[in-house]
Amino acid sequence: MQIVKAEPKVKTKFELKAMPYEKIGDNLLADLHDRIEDSIKEYYEYYCRSLFEEMLIDKLRI
């Protein structure tokens, strides 16, 4: 954009227009993957904390 704006103001038949943002299939798939990963991560962290607590209790019983 800086190069285009730095050019002299000469009228051409080409215009730069703002392109609408459209999510394509790859972006939708990546978003779905991220949401699934985030939800699984929460369950995994909960599992790890629970496992650690159980192992700690077992060690303290000995």
Side-chain angles (χ1 to χ4, degrees):
M1 285 304 288
Q2 291 177 350
I3 294 170
V4 172
K5 289 180 180 179
E7 290 294 316
K9 301 290 181 186
V10 176
K11 193 69 172 170
T12 65
K13 62 180 180 177
F14 302 109
E15 288 185 33
L16 295 177
K17 294 183 180 180
M19 298 293 291
Y21 177 73
E22 296 179 11
K23 286 192 171 188
I24 57 172
D26 291 341
N27 287 347
L28 292 173
L29 185 59
D31 290 344
L32 176 63
H33 179 269
D34 290 342
R35 284 193 309 240
I36 291 171
E37 185 178 9
D38 290 343
S39 67
I40 290 173
K41 185 185 274 186
E42 291 174 18
Y43 289 114
Y44 178 73
E45 289 172 357
Y46 175 75
Y47 170 76
C48 287
R49 282 193 305 271
S50 298
L51 186 62
F52 172 76
E53 291 169 359
E54 288 181 21
M55 290 174 66
L56 182 62
I57 290 170
D58 287 343
K59 293 287 183 184
L60 291 173
R61 287 185 186 161
I62 295 177

